Amino acid sequence: MTQNGNLKRLVRARAAKTGESYTAALRHIRQLPDEPVIRSIRIAVAQTSLFNDPRDILALRASGAEMRRLMEEAHKTGARLIHFPEGATCSPNKRIMSENGPGEIGSSDWTRCEWSVLREELEATRKFASELKLWTVFGSVHQLTSPHRPHNSLYVISDRGELVTRYDERLLSNTKISFMYSPGKNPVTFEVDGLRFGCSMGMELHYPEIFTEYERHDVDCVLFSTTGETPSTPSLAFAAEALGHAASNSYWISLSAHAPQSVTVPSGIAAPDGQWAVRCPTSGEAAIAVTTIRNDPESPARPWRRNARADLYTPHQIDGDPRSDGRKLF
């Protein structure tokens, strides 16, 4: 009984320190030192209705209510984490925000945003994450000190209802950087049940360097949030790039976008083999899709690619052989 009590105390201490569940902490402590650690987690990816007017109080309330409804659905499936799109709370339209608009796109007038209502919805969502014991990652505008423009951000709420970190979009579109937002500076990672997540958003899926950077940070999954206001060719490009980044970096990618985009590219989770593990419906309506992701410590793919990128081939290259140097020979 004493030994069992000591084990329980160790498990609770680790869970309190890392934020892991009791089961995950127990599994870690019982793991043999030389045995590969295989971890898994059930996650939900969401597609939500598009609300694009931050002056509309009723719409802000509706977006919050919809998010919390999807959170409850995810909780009922046993999900430990739910991932929402860019601007899940509200994705401000550039013409609505333009001080010269709507006919002309100009600098955004952020006094038009109902900041107090938005914060009430953020707080309600944070509290609900705590009630459900559900990690929640969602996009929202993050207000800075005047006169600075806000960040376009992803908030990460733990299963204890703590705001543990925030990712700010770094590689902004021309309109965003010219008229709307301040860019972020750094990659962001966090851990849930021993698996490491990275964050990305907006149009950053077009930039491979974002995703190779996260590979160097040893992530198991990147949560990519975007808007996709209408079905379009760029949406199809995002889907292809998500699969490509997942395969070339040997990790999972969760792609979350707004529901209108789902008729061509629904939200989904790409596996490290470059295939969709699960996708939301193509109905154009708010929904979730759920799957279990896991690491694969015995896979040779990531170690080999790191080797290959670390000057593996230079010692084997041939210098001074005319049959190698000459490029006009059969």
Side-chain angles (χ1 to χ4, degrees), residues 6-7 13 15 56-57 69 79 95 113 126-127 130 143 155 159 208 231 265 270 283 324:
N6 288 337
L7 176 62
D56 189 337
I57 292 176
R69 174 176 65 80
R95 295 188 181 276
C113 179
R126 182 194 66 77
K127 289 181 178 178
S130 177
Q143 187 179 26
Y155 290 121
D159 56 356
V265 179
S283 60
S324 175

Side-chain angles (χ1 to χ4, degrees), residues 5-20:
N6 288 337
L7 176 62
K8 288 182 178 179
R9 280 193 291 274
L10 286 172
V11 173
R12 291 193 187 102
R14 177 178 172 82
K17 182 179 179 180
T18 64
E20 295 173 333

Side-chain angles (χ1 to χ4, degrees), residues 2 51 90 170 185 189 203 213 255 287 309:
T2 302
F51 298 95
C90 179
R170 292 177 283 166
K185 303 174 188 175
T189 65
M203 63 179 295
E213 178 183 40
L255 188 161
R309 290 164 175 154

Side-chain angles (χ1 to χ4, degrees), residues 93-121:
N93 184 281
K94 58 190 176 185
R95 295 188 181 276
I96 291 174
M97 300 307 295
S98 173
E99 60 186 14
N100 303 325
E104 178 185 348
I105 299 172
S107 295
S108 294
D109 177 6
W110 287 102
T111 63
R112 298 177 181 182
C113 179
E114 290 286 348
W115 291 109
S116 60
V117 177
L118 177 59
R119 287 198 184 91
E120 288 173 8
E121 292 304 314

